[in-house]
Amino acid sequence: MLKSRKELDAELGGAARAWLDEALAEAAHDAATPDAPGPYTSPPWELRYAAAGRQCGPEHADSVRSLLLVEARAPLSSVTRLYERGTAAERRAVLLTLHRLDLGSTALPLVEDALRANDTRLVAAAVGPYAADHLDPHAWRHAVLKCLFTEVPVAAVARLDDRARGDAELARMLGDFADERTAAGRAVPEDLRTVLDLTAPADNGAHQAPPTAAPAAPAPTEES
C-alpha cells in the first residue's frame, strides 16, 4: 500500500526526509515550469525517481516514487520513459500511480505491456484502479485470467466485484479455464471460484457453481 507524505515523514530518518524534501521540490518546480526538457534530457526529479530505493529504503521506494510522479504532474512522456527504462521496481511504482495522474487512457500501453510479463509484481500492479477505469471488457477479462494463470491473488484486481458482476462472457472463459485445468489433472484455483461467483447476477449469485460441462469454445491459452 502506498504511504502518504505524513506517514513517510514519521518513518524516514533525517537524511532521507531531507532528500525527499529536495526531490519533491524539484518535482514541483518542474510541474510549474512550462519549458520542457529536450528529447535527450530528463528533468532532475526523474533521476531522483531512480534513486528513491537507495535514499529512502526499498520498503519506501514505491511510495516515494509515487509522490514524485504526482508532485511533478508527470506527463505521458515522463511516465513512459520511467517505465521503459526502469527496473521492475521502478515500473511497478509507475503502474501503481497511473490512476493518480491526469493521463486519461493514454497510458494503457504500459498496462498492456505489464500484463504480457510473467513478473507477478508487475501483473498485480497493472490490475489496479487505472486498469479498472480504462481497460475495455475484453482486455479486462484477459487481465483477470492472467492473474489466475500467474497465481496473482484476485484481491489485487481493483473493482473486481463491480466489473465481474453479471459478466456472462467472463463466466464462460472461467469455465473453459476450469475445464482445461481439470482435464490436465490440475487443481482449479480457489480464486477462480471466487470470481465465478461474482459473475452471477446479484439475485442468483448464491446458486452459481463451478461448471462441469464441456466448454462452449476453445479454452484460453497462457498467452497474454
Side-chain angles (χ1 to χ4, degrees):
M1 179 179 293
L2 297 176
K3 298 176 182 178
S4 67
R5 175 66 190 279
K6 182 177 180 180
E7 290 171 324
L8 284 171
D9 282 345
E11 297 179 21
L12 293 175
R17 284 198 306 273
W19 181 91
L20 180 57
D21 286 342
E22 293 176 0
L24 292 176
E26 288 178 357
H29 178 268
D30 189 71
T33 303
D35 295 331
Y40 305 107
T41 306
S42 299
W45 71 266
E46 290 189 20
L47 301 179
R48 300 274 194 171
Y49 182 93
R54 295 191 302 274
Q55 297 295 332
C56 299
E59 69 276 22
H60 301 303
D62 281 345
S63 298
V64 170
R65 289 174 176 139
S66 182
L67 287 176
L68 284 170
L69 289 166
V70 173
E71 193 69 27
R73 299 201 294 272
L76 181 63
S77 57
S78 288
V79 169
T80 301
R81 182 165 51 242
L82 291 170
Y83 181 88
E84 291 181 344
R85 298 179 182 177
T87 63
E90 291 163 24
R91 291 183 172 201
R92 182 178 64 247
V94 167
L95 295 166
L96 291 172
T97 312
L98 289 177
H99 67 290
R100 302 177 64 189
L101 304 173
D102 186 18
L103 297 172
S105 62
T106 61
L108 272 176
L110 306 184
V111 172
E112 292 163 352
D113 178 81
L115 289 172
R116 287 191 292 270
N118 289 318
D119 187 328
T120 56
R121 298 169 301 171
L122 296 183
V123 174
V127 292
Y130 186 84
D133 289 341
H134 296 290
L135 281 179
D136 64 36
H138 177 78
W140 184 82
R141 293 179 189 120
H142 279 278
V144 173
L145 286 177
K146 179 73 174 191
C147 289
L148 295 173
F149 286 140
T150 57
E151 300 183 354
V152 169
V154 295
V157 181
R159 289 176 45 207
L160 177 63
D161 291 16
D162 176 45
R163 292 206 58 168
R165 184 71 60 199
D167 190 335
E169 177 60 14
L170 177 59
R172 183 196 67 78
M173 295 169 70
L174 292 170
D176 288 350
F177 179 48
D179 287 342
E180 182 184 68
R181 299 275 296 197
T182 300
R186 302 172 67 187
V188 175
E190 189 61 36
D191 269 356
L192 185 147
R193 302 174 190 277
T194 298
V195 181
L196 189 60
D197 284 344
L198 293 174
T199 63
D203 59 349
N204 67 350
H207 304 294
Q208 185 79 0
T212 56
T221 66
E222 295 199 12
E223 296 178 354
S224 52

